[in-house]
Amino acid sequence: MIAIVAGCALAGVIGWWLNRRAGVLRTVAVSDSGADAGDDTAAAFLGLTSSGPTVVHFSAPWCGPCAGVRRVVDNVCDELGVAHREIDIDADPAAARRFSVLSLPTTLIFDADGRQRYRAAGVPTAATLRSALQPLLA
């Protein structure tokens, strides 16, 4: 009995540890070179806008949490007037490879210059997404 309780507790701790960063927007270092540095090919590759930030989220039809990201991104981007694009990794695996998308959903935020500024794996909250986008609108 004690072994079962200990096993469940250990499984809970391991699950928490593996998911503790899900949905957290991480700042991406902005550099002057590389695929995420705002080169014209990256902007054209993803269809980024130059008039402001662009939110790109990678999804697939079979991904359940991707519907949550879609709702959050649609609501926040419509509220702030920010461009957004959804990329189906089944239809466009080259984009997923180019931006090292290893899990779904993955959300990237690019500034007006096409540089990747934030990245999140999992479902970000509306407040987190909004707080990351607002400084990029200035």
Side-chain angles (χ1 to χ4, degrees), residues 26-120:
R26 295 185 325 253
T27 303
V28 175
V30 178
S31 64
D32 292 328
S33 62
D36 64 344
D39 61 28
D40 291 335
T41 57
F45 192 77
L46 292 175
L48 304 178
T49 181
S50 61
S51 61
T54 305
V55 177
V56 177
H57 61 103
F58 291 86
S59 66
W62 46 264
C63 170
C66 293
V69 171
R70 188 176 303 113
R71 271 191 308 280
V72 170
V73 168
D74 287 348
N75 291 338
V76 171
C77 289
D78 290 348
E79 172 190 324
L80 298 176
V82 172
H84 57 95
R85 179 155 187 257
E86 181 174 358
I87 298 177
D88 179 348
I89 66 161
D90 291 337
D92 193 356
R97 276 192 304 276
R98 181 168 182 162
F99 290 92
S100 302
V101 175
L102 301 175
S103 64
L104 291 180
T106 294
T107 304
L108 309 177
I109 299 176
F110 293 86
D111 63 16
D113 296 325
R115 294 179 299 219
Q116 184 181 342
R117 301 294 296 271
Y118 297 97
R119 178 184 190 101

